[in-house]
Amino acid sequence: MAEDVIENSELHRFELALDDGEAVAYYRSEGDRVVLIHTEVPQQYAGRGIGSRLAKGVFDNLRKTGRKAVVKCSFMAAWASRNPEYNDIIAG
């Protein structure tokens, strides 16, 4: 599930492969901080929890690699507020 999310550092995004496309979360790096700026889920997957799978994968990856998140994306901010177990990796 969340382990399906990979980081494509060349394109500055996290990716979740889907049957006919991918969901992505774009970011920019600022030292050991990852600024999450935009999330895209294909319209045909809306309401299926794909965005949440992507978000969990992003936050799990950041935790695993010792980085902090700066959440500028409204979707990621809403997801993080519903999942306080990730508060430790949210940069102030």
Side-chain angles (χ1 to χ4, degrees):
M1 291 272 225
E3 52 277 351
D4 295 339
V5 174
I6 61 163
E7 182 174 6
N8 183 333
S9 56
E10 189 172 296
L11 295 178
H12 305 282
R13 67 189 201 174
F14 291 92
E15 304 169 342
L16 173 61
L18 304 168
D19 288 338
D20 56 348
E22 61 189 358
V24 296
Y26 292 94
Y27 69 86
R28 71 175 179 269
S29 295
E30 293 180 357
D32 67 343
R33 294 178 177 206
V34 174
V35 182
L36 301 170
I37 53 178
H38 182 66
T39 302
E40 294 179 3
V41 174
Q43 184 61 36
Q44 66 267 31
Y45 290 97
R48 295 191 190 175
I50 298 298
S52 292
R53 270 181 57 199
L54 176 62
K56 180 172 178 14
V58 167
F59 282 89
D60 285 346
N61 181 293
L62 295 177
R63 177 175 280 148
K64 184 176 175 181
T65 57
R67 295 177 288 173
K68 298 279 186 183
V70 177
V71 186
K72 300 291 185 183
C73 169
S74 59
F75 175 83
M76 289 291 185
W79 187 89
S81 72
R82 291 188 309 272
N83 293 275
E85 65 271 23
Y86 291 98
N87 284 350
D88 62 308
I89 61 170
I90 305 291

